[in-house]
Amino acid sequence: MTNTLFDGLLHEEPKDVASTDKKEAANFKQSLVMVCFRISVWTGTTTEQLSVEDGSESMLRKRIVPSEILKPFTDLRNRAKRLCKQHGETYLNGYVMPADCARMALDELKEIRASFIKQRDEHFAHAYEKMREARAQGIIPRGCSDLVSVPSLKYVLGHIRFNYDAFSLASFKHGHS
């Protein structure tokens, strides 16, 4: 017993090359790009376990740096995600958008990433080192705990990252590989 649908696919006649090129160009215009973020913004806190009673843990977060110092990073992360949401749809752990929209979005993402890195390396790094020096002299920022150790600048900068990947999604054509 044969299936005529599959027989037709297996014995498909060669198509005109020029019309195939036109269809591929049209498919490229309709192709999709997925943008996935790898953005990390340090919380500026540490977590301390208080007690373990009846199998439940009680954790306490202690602030190391004021949240205002980290706000520019969360703002830039949110801006990048809003941009992708405007041009596409959320899918899995990223955003899917038409290829022509992706080009514009990726150009703007490049600028957002540059702002993020500049903010981290120039402004935040300097402010964090100043705060560490002040803490060494006993000056604790308002709202922060004085009972926590302050991580090194290298550690903190390693936890403030902005990266993204863009992937072209293969289009599925009936009868072609």
Side-chain angles (χ1 to χ4, degrees), residues 130-142 144-146:
K130 261 181 106 167
M131 190 255 341
R132 282 188 61 158
E133 290 171 8
R135 276 183 167 269
Q137 297 173 4
I139 304 168
I140 308 301
R142 191 178 62 140
C144 296
S145 175
D146 60 343

Side-chain angles (χ1 to χ4, degrees), residues 3 5 7 10 12 14 22 25 28 30 60 64 88 94 117 128 132 137 152 158 169 171-172:
N3 186 330
L5 174 64
D7 288 342
L10 293 174
E12 189 173 316
K22 287 179 188 175
F28 178 75
Q30 297 174 1
L60 176 66
I64 297 170
I117 300 302
Y128 187 77
R132 282 188 61 158
Q137 297 173 4
S152 69
L169 300 178
S171 60
F172 176 74

